Amino acid sequence: MSNRMNDSMGESRTTLLRVGVLVMIAALVATAVWLGARSRTDDSGSTDKTSGDSSSQTGQQGQNVSVDQVAPETAPADGVVIPTGAEVVDGHPTRFPATDLGAVALQVEVAKAQLGFDYDQAAAVAGLYSAAEDKAVFEQRARDAVALRRQQAGVPKEGDVPPPASYAVTPIAYTLEELDTGYYAVNLLSYVTLTTANGKVSDGLYAGTQLMRWTEVDGVGDWRLVQGSDEDIDHLVSTGQPQAVAPGTPEYKQAGWIPINGAPQ
């Protein structure tokens, strides 16, 4: 896929495409690059800032909770093994470990769950993985993302989706920044494939940033998506987040992307 970078949309690297070019949910800062388009029979700035009204929110028991820092500072030869959740709810892993890689694991699962064109499925996933105080916001953003995804695929706004229309996300690399105790910005690089109703297949690279907080309720903890404040988001924008660049390129290494073990590179 990296050999198809010359077929990208031609935007300069300093220009961020609006969130939704390749639709995920609630990405605070994102870049997207179309790699090209092909027919199914042949086998393709602006910065979107999401405001929040809660800045360095603490866990629901009133204090930030420390987590173990186990993520490597440099990429191992075979990439980093992302931990799994200890429990499964409605087919989705939960109860990720209280480590910085646990925050990455949540971001990976949120991305992987972005498939298809079902409003209720997308909202359910958003609600499952978001903090209680932010649940309604993330659910609405998930529904909005599906609406845009349907538009991009050329399928009806409501109702059944005719084949071969489809949408799939494969996370391939990450970076990580600790913003506060138990509070991280996770940047995820993914391959995205969108197939339209007429069989046109568009391949892309997507880099998105989410805020994750470790939250404990009655001694039971897990990672949750949080909105973050204007201050948090302004910090991410001003410092610059990794761009959507292809593995194996000098830009990929310069951006500091850490490959995920087992993901295509």
Side-chain angles (χ1 to χ4, degrees):
M1 182 175 293
S2 61
N3 293 332
R4 308 181 69 175
M5 290 296 290
N6 290 334
D7 294 327
S8 69
M9 296 178 66
E11 299 291 326
S12 71
R13 291 201 51 205
T14 58
T15 301
L16 298 182
L17 304 182
R18 282 191 61 81
V19 174
V21 174
L22 300 174
V23 186
M24 310 286 260
I25 67 167
L28 302 175
V29 183
T31 63
V33 177
W34 290 115
L35 300 180
R38 51 196 162 87
S39 70
R40 196 171 180 85
T41 58
D42 287 339
D43 314 73
S44 134
S46 66
T47 301
D48 190 50
K49 299 197 297 182
T50 305
S51 300
D53 55 7
S54 56
S55 179
S56 300
Q57 293 181 347
T58 59
Q60 293 188 13
Q61 291 191 342
Q63 61 182 4
N64 287 356
V65 180
S66 179
V67 300
D68 293 334
Q69 297 181 340
V70 300
E73 294 185 4
T74 58
D78 295 331
V80 173
V81 176
I82 304 301
T84 58
E87 297 181 2
V88 175
V89 176
D90 296 331
H92 301 287
T94 61
R95 296 289 305 278
F96 300 103
T99 68
D100 48 6
L101 282 182
V104 178
L106 172 59
Q107 171 73 314
V108 166
E109 292 301 330
V110 169
K112 288 164 56 178
Q114 301 308 298
L115 51 86
F117 304 92
D118 189 306
Y119 291 99
D120 292 338
Q121 185 269 348
V125 170
L128 174 65
Y129 287 134
S130 59
E133 62 271 19
D134 295 330
K135 181 177 179 180
V137 173
F138 279 94
E139 288 178 341
Q140 184 57 53
R141 291 179 190 163
R143 291 182 180 278
D144 292 343
V146 170
L148 182 53
R149 193 180 304 163
R150 280 174 170 257
Q151 180 183 0
Q152 291 173 332
V155 301
K157 184 176 180 180
E158 302 285 349
D160 294 337
V161 175
S166 64
Y167 180 87
V169 179
T170 303
I172 61 173
Y174 76 91
T175 68
L176 188 66
E177 179 184 353
E178 184 180 23
L179 301 178
D180 199 348
T181 304
Y183 182 39
Y184 287 86
V186 179
N187 307 294
L188 195 67
L189 178 66
S190 301
Y191 285 134
V192 181
T193 299
L194 175 70
T195 304
T196 66
N198 62 12
K200 179 181 177 181
V201 183
S202 294
D203 299 320
L205 284 169
Y206 179 98
T209 304
Q210 297 276 14
L211 297 178
M212 313 288 183
R213 183 178 294 283
W214 179 260
T215 302
E216 289 189 357
V217 179
D218 297 330
V220 178
D222 204 354
W223 289 99
R224 288 289 182 265
L225 295 168
V226 294
Q227 289 191 70
S229 67
D230 289 342
E231 181 181 3
D232 297 329
I233 298 163
D234 286 343
H235 163 73
L236 295 174
V237 173
S238 64
T239 56
Q241 302 306 296
Q243 303 292 292
V245 292
T249 62
E251 292 83 2
Y252 177 89
K253 183 177 181 179
Q254 183 178 5
W257 287 114
I258 304 291
I260 293 173
N261 179 270
Q265 297 295 318

